[in-house]
């Protein structure tokens, strides 16, 4: 890495950080200190603005760096992430968006607690939301550390550690001072930058192969070291039964997990109506769909132009495939165009990470304050302002936890880490959300059991999986307490969440409140009484 590349990339990093801090300052001056302003930005965003913000929240470092890297390393099998992330939005559009907007106020727990006893439900759902958010944050931290390590010539530990700490500090500032308004505008700016950078790289890759997709794929297979097997299923998730079940488990987690992600669900509260929420999702699907199609081109382009071996040599998890591709497309190391393109891509990736961590941190701090704190320690008078204060302190605590875990997991692929967050969201949040919206007889016990019945198995199975111990790429490679053979727990934990919710309901002595269900049903479908 030349000194010019480092300098230009660092300048672009600094420009984006300065712009986002300016947005935060502006938003902080315009806030009114209310919970609605802090959590939902005053519900003043248009569907288009919210659609760009949703896309910004969703198109994370896992998408830009991780998915392209997995495709560059594993070809066809890596595309599962692109397909799964995109298909998941159909679940959100048809089952969740409008209903959540009508039934809730700030968080997922608002929807569930509308017809249940609030305290146990809010504690359960709040705990689950924070867990999912922290797992998602770790992936962004890992992406930031990898990116800056590459920028500084791979000077490992110290560069990655300080980068993770710096990103954590910035995300606390964004959330504490700017709230949802600042976070949303940061997401919008980031979406425009990311889509622009991705389009530019995709066009350059296609021009390199004169628009011939077949030639691109054949060249990728040739330079992958795997031949035609690179273009067929099974390179990563093939062979023995364990790999095949892992494939199914990951697919379930990706498709079902989006509808349970707290930072995505909280976006539906930033628009004034349920119709605006649905239109936001339509905008988001268009933007996200185009983006994920381009990540496929970038992944195969990295394999064809850079080479799988070189990508793996730079970063074993493949997280540096896109920056290396940009460098090569611009003319290689030492060239002016290569320097500029590499720096722009690195800056866009860094912007992506900063924006996403802000959205996730806001959602998790809202869960801590609005669900956990409000349930455990209610006070009379000044409740909204008190919650906002707690949310700001919660952002600091969550930032510290995410920094620590990010330093620990810095050698794992970021897309893979997000897959784990999706598995927990699909196991703990989705069952209770669907039961609350569609099952007339659902009870408080069923809601609590559903959350913990999915959350606890998902977390325990991850701890006992090859992700944590028992292998050279595990978090703790020197020890082995692996008992669960799959990397992703979704195939076991998602059904357990649904079964636990059903079992808790049918064994509950509490009679379902038919009046509250009727009220929730009317409100979810018509918007009558929605905040």
């Amino acid at each position: 890495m030349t000194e010019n590349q480092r300098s230009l990339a660092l300048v672009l990093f600094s420009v984006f950080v300065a712009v986002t801090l300016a947005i935060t300052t502006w938003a902080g001056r315009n806030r009114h200190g209310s919970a609605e302003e802090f959590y939902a930005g005053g519900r003043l965003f248009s569907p288009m603005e919210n659609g760009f913000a949703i896309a910004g929240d969703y198109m994370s470092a896992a998408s830009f760096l991780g998915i392209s890297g997995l495709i560059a390393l594993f070809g066809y099998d890596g595309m599962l992430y692109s397909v799964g992330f995109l298909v998941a939005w159909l679940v959100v559009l048809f089952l969740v968006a409008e209903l959540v907007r009508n039934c809730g106020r700030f968080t997922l727990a608002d929807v569930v607690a509308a017809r249940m006893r609030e305290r146990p439900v809010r504690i359960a759902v709040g705990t689950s939301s924070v867990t999912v958010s922290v797992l998602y944050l770790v992936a962004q931290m890992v992406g930031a550390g990898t990116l800056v390590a590459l920028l500084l010539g791979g000077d490992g530990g110290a560069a990655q550690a300080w980068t993770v700490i710096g990103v954590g500090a910035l995300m606390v500032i964004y959330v504490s001072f700017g709230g949802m308004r600042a976070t949303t505008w940061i997401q919008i700016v980031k979406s425009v930058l990311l889509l622009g950078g991705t389009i530019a790289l995709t066009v350059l890759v296609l021009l390199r192969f004169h628009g011939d997709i077949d030639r691109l794929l054949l060249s990728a297979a040739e330079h992958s070291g795997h031949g035609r097997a690179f273009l067929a299923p099974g390179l990563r998730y093939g062979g023995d039964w364990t790999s095949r079940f892992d494939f199914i488990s990951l697919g379930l987690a990706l498709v079902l997990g989006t509808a349970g992600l707290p930072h995505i669900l909280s976006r539906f509260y930033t628009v004034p109506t349920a119709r605006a929420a649905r239109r936001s999702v339509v905008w988001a699907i268009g933007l996200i769909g185009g983006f994920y199609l381009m990540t496929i081109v970038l992944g195969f382009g990295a394999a064809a132009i850079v080479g799988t071996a070189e990508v793996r040599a730079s970063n074993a998890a493949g997280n540096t495939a896109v920056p290396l591709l940009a460098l090569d497309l611009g003319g290689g190391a030492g060239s002016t165009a290569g320097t500029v393109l590499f720096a722009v891509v690195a800056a866009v990736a860094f912007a992506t990470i900063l924006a996403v961590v802000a959205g996730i941190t806001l959602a998790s701090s809202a869960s801590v304050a609005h669900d956990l704190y409000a349930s455990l320690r209610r006070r009379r008078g000044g409740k909204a302002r008190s919650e906002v204060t707690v949310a700001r302190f919660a952002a600091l605590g969550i930032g510290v936890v995410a920094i620590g875990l990010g330093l620990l997991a810095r050698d794992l692929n970021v897309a893979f880490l997000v897959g784990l967050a999706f598995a927990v969201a699909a196991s703990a949040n989705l069952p209770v959300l669907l039961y609350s919206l569609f099952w007339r007889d659902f009870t408080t016990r069923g809601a609590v059991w559903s959350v913990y019945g999915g959350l606890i198995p998902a977390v325990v199975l991850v701890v006992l999986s090859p992700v944590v111990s028992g292998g050279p790429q595990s978090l703790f490679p020197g020890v082995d307490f692996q008992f669960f053979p799959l990397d992703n727990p979704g195939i076991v934990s998602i059904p357990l969440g649904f079964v636990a919710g059903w079992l808790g309901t049918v064994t509950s002595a509490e009679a379902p409140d038919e009046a509250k269900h009727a009220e929730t049903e009317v409100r979810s479908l018509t918007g009558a009484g929605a905040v």
Side-chain angles (χ1 to χ4, degrees):
M1 202 63 54
T2 67
E3 191 63 34
N4 287 338
Q5 289 168 341
R6 295 176 189 172
S7 300
L8 183 56
L10 288 172
V11 167
L12 292 174
F13 284 1
S14 302
V15 169
F16 182 79
V17 170
V19 170
T20 54
L21 289 175
I23 292 172
T24 303
T25 302
W26 165 78
R29 288 177 178 175
N30 285 277
R31 69 170 187 253
H32 304 295
S34 68
E36 183 170 302
E37 177 67 28
F38 185 82
Y39 295 142
R43 309 189 201 280
L44 298 175
F45 292 99
S46 69
M48 184 182 75
E49 291 169 344
N50 198 42
F52 269 88
I54 291 172
D57 256 331
Y58 200 66
M59 298 184 304
S60 65
S63 305
F64 190 53
L65 301 177
I67 292 177
S68 299
L70 285 173
I71 294 173
L73 296 181
F74 302 106
Y76 182 96
D77 280 8
M79 286 199 305
L80 172 65
Y81 285 87
S82 289
V83 175
F85 281 146
L86 179 56
V87 171
W89 277 97
L90 298 178
V91 178
V92 177
L93 177 63
F94 293 115
L95 289 180
V96 172
E98 282 194 38
L99 306 184
V100 166
R101 175 61 188 83
N102 283 336
C103 290
R105 189 179 177 209
F106 300 131
T107 64
L108 169 63
D110 289 338
V111 180
V112 182
R115 49 179 292 215
M116 310 290 175
R117 285 186 287 116
E118 283 201 37
R119 191 169 184 273
V121 167
R122 286 192 181 277
I123 292 173
V125 177
T127 301
S128 171
S129 296
V130 172
T131 304
V132 172
S133 298
V134 168
L135 283 173
Y136 212 115
L137 278 172
V138 170
Q140 312 311 313
M141 298 296 193
V142 171
T146 300
L147 188 65
V148 173
L150 173 66
L151 177 67
L152 299 178
D155 187 8
Q160 285 182 288
W162 282 110
T163 301
V164 169
I165 293 170
V167 170
L170 283 170
M171 77 186 191
V172 172
I173 292 171
Y174 294 150
V175 172
S176 298
F177 293 98
M180 179 59 84
R181 190 184 295 273
T183 301
T184 299
W185 281 110
I186 291 170
Q187 295 290 9
I188 292 170
V189 172
K190 165 262 175 121
S191 291
V192 173
L193 292 175
L194 180 59
L195 288 168
T198 307
I199 290 170
L201 287 180
T202 302
V203 169
L204 290 174
V205 170
L206 294 176
L207 287 176
R208 178 71 67 92
F209 293 93
H210 306 288
D212 189 340
I213 299 296
D214 285 344
R215 185 177 165 194
L216 167 63
L217 295 177
L218 291 174
S219 180
E222 180 183 346
H223 290 88
S224 69
H226 299 287
R228 291 299 183 104
F230 192 70
L231 305 178
L235 198 58
R236 179 180 173 92
Y237 297 109
D240 59 10
W241 66 270
T242 303
S243 297
R244 296 181 183 183
F245 276 113
D246 225 351
F247 180 88
I248 298 170
S249 187
L250 175 64
L252 285 172
L254 295 182
V255 171
L256 299 178
T258 300
L261 291 176
H263 67 292
I264 297 297
L265 295 176
S266 66
R267 282 270 156 226
F268 301 138
Y269 302 126
T270 64
V271 290
T273 64
R275 182 170 180 268
R278 179 177 282 270
R279 289 174 59 198
S280 298
V281 175
V282 173
W283 270 100
I285 288 176
L287 297 170
I288 292 167
F291 173 77
Y292 281 114
L293 288 175
M294 290 187 286
T295 61
I296 296 174
V297 175
L298 297 185
F300 283 112
I305 296 170
V306 179
T308 299
E310 188 172 339
V311 170
R312 185 175 279 110
S314 173
N315 181 266
N319 295 329
T320 57
V322 173
L324 292 175
L325 174 63
L327 186 62
D328 200 297
L329 288 171
S335 67
T336 302
T339 297
V340 172
L341 196 57
F342 174 87
V344 168
V345 168
V348 167
F350 197 68
T352 296
I353 292 164
L354 287 179
V356 171
V357 297
I360 302 168
T361 306
L362 179 60
S364 54
S365 62
S367 292
V368 171
H370 185 62
D371 299 328
L372 298 178
Y373 172 79
S375 297
L376 294 173
R377 191 178 179 182
R378 293 186 179 276
R379 291 181 176 178
R380 295 181 179 179
K383 178 182 172 185
R385 186 173 296 277
S386 176
E387 273 191 25
V388 171
T389 302
V390 172
R392 293 191 175 112
F393 281 108
L396 176 62
I398 290 165
V400 171
V401 173
I403 288 170
L405 292 176
L407 293 174
L408 191 64
R410 62 190 179 196
D411 294 326
L412 296 182
N413 182 278
V414 288
F416 171 73
L417 286 169
V418 166
L420 296 181
F422 273 62
V424 177
S427 304
N429 292 347
L430 183 64
V432 71
L433 178 60
L434 294 183
Y435 278 148
S436 297
L437 291 172
F438 300 110
W439 190 12
R440 179 182 300 275
D441 296 330
F442 198 42
T443 64
T444 300
R445 177 190 279 186
V448 174
W449 283 25
S450 180
V451 173
Y452 291 130
L455 176 64
I456 294 173
V459 173
V460 169
L461 291 177
V462 168
V463 171
L464 299 179
S465 74
V467 175
V468 175
S469 71
Q473 295 183 332
S474 302
L475 288 180
F476 303 105
V479 295
D480 186 359
F481 47 85
Q482 171 198 339
F483 293 98
F484 183 66
L486 306 183
D487 286 343
N488 193 291
I491 194 171
V492 175
S493 58
I494 295 172
L496 284 178
F498 282 99
V499 170
W502 170 82
L503 187 62
T505 297
V506 298
T507 60
S508 175
E510 173 190 0
D513 192 327
E514 294 187 7
K516 280 191 176 181
H517 170 74
E519 179 184 341
T520 302
E521 188 173 41
V522 171
R523 181 174 171 179
S524 66
L525 296 175
T526 67
V531 178

